[in-house]
């Protein structure tokens, strides 16, 4: 039902998420933002079970901020990703596991851009591109075919548009609009929402 | 006997025998799956009905179900079984050992709420159903929480009534401690966090909180004057509004969000599964798809109060017509900067007969016209 995608370039990470908040067969909201800002250069994209997503993402968000307040400097994306994974793993075998699938995208001064894929079984993988949801089945091969490690931001946006065209063509559910953001050394930038009519 | 069948008397007897033997093998599995497998809640011994009320009363609602409280409570509440062996693990109490409901509860209702220029409008039907019967034809599903906040309820009536009261108490405490009312978004977050420990249990509450944030402004009077002026020009502009209805609400939304952060009308949907959504139009319940189709066509920012009330009434009426679990009467509440006001409860049966009359009149009018044209031709 929900779709997340991330593409890492040489000096940026491009991420997109759909904007639908659904409850059984009804779209309750058409402009729902699934991205959570953990710090100036880290975004957490979160989908999964209804209440777990917001609860878990806000928990991670506040803890990352707390680390910054206590220690005076921010967590790096790699550290934040491992912290998130550890929390998922701790709750996995408890009474209340969190059923959430995540993409964490960030830019580090020393390591450069990074995209981390995490799923509800608390696996973690640093990947050049990744996707979550039923839409991933349709778009991962497009990403495999056209991705190059040194693609520019415009090429990455075109690749994203190809993925969304494929979804509109073959996916039975209606995902009319997507929030798109880019993280680079300047921080997080909003790009134009990709909607059905737009090319 | 009927009661035996309801309470699965014989099943419990059989379970008692098998669980003791297989307890050792099952425990590892049970810890994993019991949150989704409520059948395990069938108690260990026949007459041991665990009622967790007294522990809850000692806790602040924010603390409900927190892990430290559970472990200490579980240890204290563990009682030796009458049978020879008992389960080696004591299942923590919050999600287990819920008394199995004696009959299936259904969540039949139609409630809706939307924001427009005149504030927030909330409407709901009044039928409480229970496994195919109408348990109460005159229940109240829109409950006022405080002077500027109203909540529609859907789900289990008892849960909704209880949690509304708990929310009202917590909001009043907040107001006394901090000297100002908590915003609607804040109230929604509070309710959502209080309900989170019960996720995975039978508790079902789906509420939309409709409120007006910020201090009462004298602009209330200006809005009234504007409304009177708009009323005359409304019919002309309403057509334009309907064409642009996808544009105007969002642009108005942007205007609303540009105002100081917590003032103006506000609408948040909170569900016991953890969903919390801020928006401008929500409908909840088994009749909600029918209501959505009416509301999506008619609701836009520029509605007058009278038109908004009639749209809300019609949406509930159409939903009650089609949905078996909604019906009887409709309640409409209107929240403005001055607080909430309530319309008299209306029986939708009358509305149905009125519509039938209107259709008959129209049919007669059309027939007369046809006869007139025919006679002219001949």
């Amino acid at each position: 039902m929900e779709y997340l995608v991330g593409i890492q370039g040489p000096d940026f990470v491009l991420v997109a998420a759909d904007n639908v908040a659904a409850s059984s067969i009804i779209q309750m909201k058409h402009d729902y933002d699934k991205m959570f800002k953990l710090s100036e250069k880290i975004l957490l994209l979160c989908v999964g079970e209804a209440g777990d997503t917001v609860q878990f993402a806000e928990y991670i968000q506040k803890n990352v901020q707390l680390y910054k307040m206590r220690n005076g400097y921010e967590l790096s994306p790699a550290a934040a990703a491992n912290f998130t994974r550890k929390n998922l793993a701790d709750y996995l075998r408890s009474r209340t596991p969190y059923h959430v699938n995540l993409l964490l995208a960030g830019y580090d001064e020393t390591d450069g851009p990074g995209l981390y894929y995490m799923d509800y079984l608390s696996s973690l993988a640093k990947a050049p591109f990744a996707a979550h949801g039923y839409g991933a089945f349709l778009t991962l091969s497009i990403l495999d075919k056209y991705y190059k490690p040194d693609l520019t931001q415009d090429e990455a946006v075109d690749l994203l548009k190809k993925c969304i065209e494929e979804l509109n063509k073959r996916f039975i559910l209606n995902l009319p609009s997507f929030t798109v953001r880019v993280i680079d050394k300047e921080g997080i930038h909003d790009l134009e929402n990709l909607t059905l009519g737009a090319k | 006997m009927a009661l035996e069948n309801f309470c699965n008397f014989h099943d419990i007897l059989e379970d008692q025998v098998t669980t003791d033997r297989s307890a050792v093998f099952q425990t590892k599995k049970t810890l994993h799956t019991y949150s989704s497998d409520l059948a395990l809640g069938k108690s260990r011994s026949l007459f041991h009905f665990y009622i967790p009320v007294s522990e809850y009363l000692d806790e602040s609602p924010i603390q409900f179900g927190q892990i430290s409280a559970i472990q200490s409570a579980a240890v204290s509440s563990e009682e030796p079984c009458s049978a020879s062996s008992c389960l080696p693990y004591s299942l923590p109490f919050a999600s287990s050992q819920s008394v199995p409901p004696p009959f299936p509860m259904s969540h039949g209702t139609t409630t809706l709420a939307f924001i427009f220029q005149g504030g927030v409008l909330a409407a709901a039907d009044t039928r409480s159903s229970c496994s195919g019967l109408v348990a109460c034809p005159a229940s109240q599903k829109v409950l006022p929480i405080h002077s500027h906040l109203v909540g529609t309820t859907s789900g289990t009536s008892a849960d909704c009534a209880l949690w509304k009261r708990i929310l009202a108490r917590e909001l009043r405490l907040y107001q006394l401690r901090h000297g100002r009312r908590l915003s609607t978004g804040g109230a929604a977050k509070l309710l959502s966090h209080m309900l989170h420990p019960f996720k995975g249990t039978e508790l079902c509450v789906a509420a939309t909180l409709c409120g007006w944030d910020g201090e009462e402004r004298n602009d209330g009077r200006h809005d009234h004057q504007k409304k009177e002026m708009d009323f005359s020009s409304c019919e002309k502009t309403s057509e334009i509004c309907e064409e642009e209805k996808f544009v105007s609400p969002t642009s108005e939304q942007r205007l609303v969000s540009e105002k100081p952060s917590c003032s103006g009308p506000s609408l948040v949907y909170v569900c016991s599964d953890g969903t919390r959504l801020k928006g401008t139009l929500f409908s909840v319940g088994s009749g909600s798809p029918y209501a959505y189709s009416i509301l999506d066509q008619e609701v836009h920012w520029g509605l007058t109060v009278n038109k908004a009330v009639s749209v809300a009434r019609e949406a509930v009426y159409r939903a009650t017509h089609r949905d078996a679990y909604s019906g009887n009467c409709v309640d409409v509440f209107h929240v403005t900067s001055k607080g909430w006001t309530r319309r008299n409860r209306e029986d939708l049966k009358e509305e149905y007969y009125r519509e039938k009359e209107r259709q008959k009149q129209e049919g007669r009018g059309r027939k007369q016209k046809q006869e007139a044209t025919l006679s002219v031709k001949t």
Side-chain angles (χ1 to χ4, degrees):
Chain A
M1 315 294 175
E2 305 172 292
Y3 180 65
L4 298 178
V5 64
I7 303 173
Q8 182 205 322
D11 57 354
F12 67 92
V13 188
L14 178 72
V15 287
D18 72 292
N19 282 338
V20 170
S23 169
S24 82
I25 57 163
I26 306 271
Q27 282 187 15
M28 299 217 73
K29 246 192 131 179
H30 314 285
D31 54 359
Y32 184 61
D33 191 0
K34 300 183 186 181
M35 304 195 192
F36 295 84
K37 184 174 152 185
L38 298 190
S39 77
E40 289 308 314
K41 295 188 189 162
I42 309 182
L43 268 182
L44 182 68
L45 286 78
C46 191
V47 291
E49 203 178 310
D52 288 353
T53 48
V54 174
Q55 286 278 359
F56 185 73
E58 284 192 347
Y59 175 70
I60 300 294
Q61 190 181 44
K62 304 312 172 197
N63 272 293
V64 170
Q65 293 298 312
L66 182 62
Y67 184 95
K68 180 180 173 188
M69 280 181 225
R70 280 187 178 149
N71 301 292
Y73 62 91
E74 290 187 336
L75 273 174
S76 68
N82 278 290
F83 170 70
T84 309
R85 191 214 70 85
K86 179 81 169 56
N87 270 293
L88 267 175
D90 286 339
Y91 278 100
L92 183 62
R93 288 173 199 275
S94 74
R95 292 183 314 107
T96 55
Y98 286 107
H99 197 292
V100 290
N101 294 316
L102 309 161
L103 283 182
L104 191 142
Y107 189 92
D108 192 23
E109 302 294 324
T110 41
D111 298 330
L115 177 67
Y116 296 87
Y117 170 99
M118 278 172 275
D119 76 359
Y120 70 102
L121 295 169
S122 72
S123 63
L124 170 69
K126 184 174 192 307
F129 55 85
H132 273 300
Y134 287 121
F137 289 99
L138 295 166
T139 52
L140 276 174
S141 42
I142 299 179
L143 291 166
D144 278 328
K145 180 172 176 187
Y146 291 107
Y147 177 81
K148 323 186 294 276
D150 56 350
L151 82 180
T152 66
Q153 190 164 322
D154 292 329
E155 283 169 0
V157 174
D158 283 336
L159 185 48
L160 181 65
K161 284 186 183 161
K162 280 202 187 70
C163 291
I164 290 179
E165 264 173 46
E166 180 61 23
L167 282 184
N168 288 330
K169 191 170 173 205
R170 288 288 181 185
F171 192 38
I172 52 167
L173 296 183
N174 187 26
L175 294 176
S177 98
F178 294 80
T179 313
V180 184
R181 295 204 164 103
V182 158
I183 310 181
D184 58 17
K185 63 176 169 31
E186 320 278 294
I188 302 175
H189 311 280
D190 287 357
L191 295 182
E192 223 178 74
N193 278 14
L194 287 177
T195 51
L196 249 184
K199 268 282 173 177
Chain B
M1 290 190 284
L3 195 60
E4 268 181 43
N5 286 337
F6 269 143
C7 300
N8 295 318
F9 201 78
H10 300 291
D11 289 352
I12 292 177
L13 269 175
E14 283 161 34
D15 274 359
Q16 182 65 21
V17 176
T18 53
T19 46
D20 292 341
R21 256 181 260 138
S22 56
V24 182
F25 301 103
Q26 271 189 1
T27 42
K28 291 250 166 80
K29 185 173 152 225
T30 53
L31 275 179
H32 246 295
T33 58
Y34 82 85
S35 61
S36 54
D37 181 10
L38 289 163
L40 276 167
K42 282 184 185 147
S43 45
R44 296 177 245 173
S45 85
L46 275 176
F47 301 109
H48 173 67
F49 291 121
Y50 185 80
I51 300 163
V53 171
S54 51
E55 281 89 351
Y56 285 156
L57 288 177
D58 289 334
E59 292 174 351
S60 151
I62 311 291
Q63 305 293 328
F64 280 160
Q66 296 303 306
I67 296 182
S68 54
I70 287 165
Q71 283 171 350
S72 59
V75 164
S76 60
S77 69
E78 205 178 308
E79 293 169 32
C81 279
S82 51
S84 53
S85 65
C86 62
L87 297 167
Y89 281 82
S90 68
L91 302 171
F93 75 68
S95 303
S96 72
Q97 309 216 351
S98 49
V99 180
F103 38 74
M105 318 259 190
S106 47
H107 315 309
T109 188
T110 306
T111 67
L112 59 93
F114 58 87
I115 294 183
F116 67 113
Q117 56 81 20
V120 193
L121 208 70
D125 73 311
T126 59
R127 173 178 291 183
S128 282
S129 56
C130 179
S131 70
L133 303 173
V134 177
C136 175
S139 52
Q140 197 180 6
K141 298 190 189 182
V142 187
L143 302 172
I145 298 174
H146 62 61
S147 59
H148 286 71
L149 182 63
V150 138
T152 68
T153 63
S154 162
T156 319
S157 317
D159 285 332
C160 289
L162 172 69
W163 283 100
K164 283 281 153 63
R165 283 189 65 134
I166 293 180
L167 181 66
R169 183 188 73 193
E170 292 302 317
L171 292 182
R172 180 71 179 135
L173 282 172
Y174 183 95
Q175 186 180 2
L176 290 169
R177 285 170 186 151
H178 297 90
R180 63 180 180 89
R181 279 198 303 266
L182 189 55
S183 65
T184 315
K189 204 160 194 178
L190 185 61
L191 183 61
S192 177
H193 285 166
M194 289 198 287
L195 291 175
H196 181 67
F198 297 96
K199 192 168 159 139
T201 66
E202 296 265 335
L203 189 141
C204 182
V205 172
T208 58
L209 298 181
C210 326
W212 188 284
D213 300 332
E215 285 105 37
E216 188 181 310
R217 305 175 298 184
N218 287 330
D219 295 357
R221 264 180 251 142
H222 292 269
D223 286 337
H224 267 291
Q225 288 169 354
K226 264 197 211 156
K227 261 183 275 169
E228 285 163 17
M229 292 188 322
D230 282 350
F231 192 66
S232 52
S233 56
C234 176
E235 270 78 51
K236 291 174 219 159
T237 55
S238 62
E239 288 158 3
I240 308 172
C241 280
E242 271 164 19
E243 283 166 13
E244 298 176 336
K245 66 178 178 279
F246 291 106
V247 175
S248 50
T250 49
S251 59
E252 292 301 336
Q253 252 178 312
R254 254 176 266 136
L255 273 180
V256 169
S257 57
E258 279 163 27
K259 281 186 206 157
S261 52
C262 14
S263 99
S266 180
L267 178 60
V268 189
Y269 166 65
V270 180
C271 185
S272 52
D273 68 5
T275 315
R276 189 181 74 236
L277 298 172
K278 189 163 156 55
T280 53
L281 168 65
F282 288 112
S283 174
V284 185
S286 56
S288 65
Y290 307 111
Y292 265 123
S293 41
I294 302 290
L295 294 170
D296 284 334
Q297 295 199 337
E298 308 260 351
V299 168
H300 55 273
W301 175 264
L303 285 175
T304 61
V305 177
N306 288 338
K307 187 77 175 57
V309 168
S310 82
V311 167
R313 269 177 69 245
E314 182 167 6
V316 176
Y317 164 64
R318 301 268 171 222
T320 56
H321 182 54
R322 284 286 175 182
D323 181 31
Y325 298 108
S326 311
N328 297 104
C329 309
V330 60
D331 279 332
V332 180
F333 277 68
H334 181 209
V335 186
T336 59
S337 62
K338 297 195 181 307
W340 58 262
T341 50
R342 181 190 172 165
R343 248 174 87 93
N344 282 334
R345 178 172 280 195
E346 284 176 61
D347 194 338
L348 288 172
K349 202 172 48 188
E350 315 291 324
E351 179 68 29
Y352 177 72
Y353 289 128
R354 258 178 269 143
E355 201 187 7
K356 283 281 163 235
E357 267 306 306
R358 244 177 286 138
Q359 284 173 353
K360 244 192 274 176
Q361 299 288 346
E362 278 165 27
R364 259 184 247 139
R366 255 182 267 131
K367 260 196 209 165
Q368 284 172 359
K369 270 190 200 163
Q370 279 176 1
E371 284 163 19
T373 50
L374 279 174
S375 59
V376 166
K377 280 182 188 169
T378 54

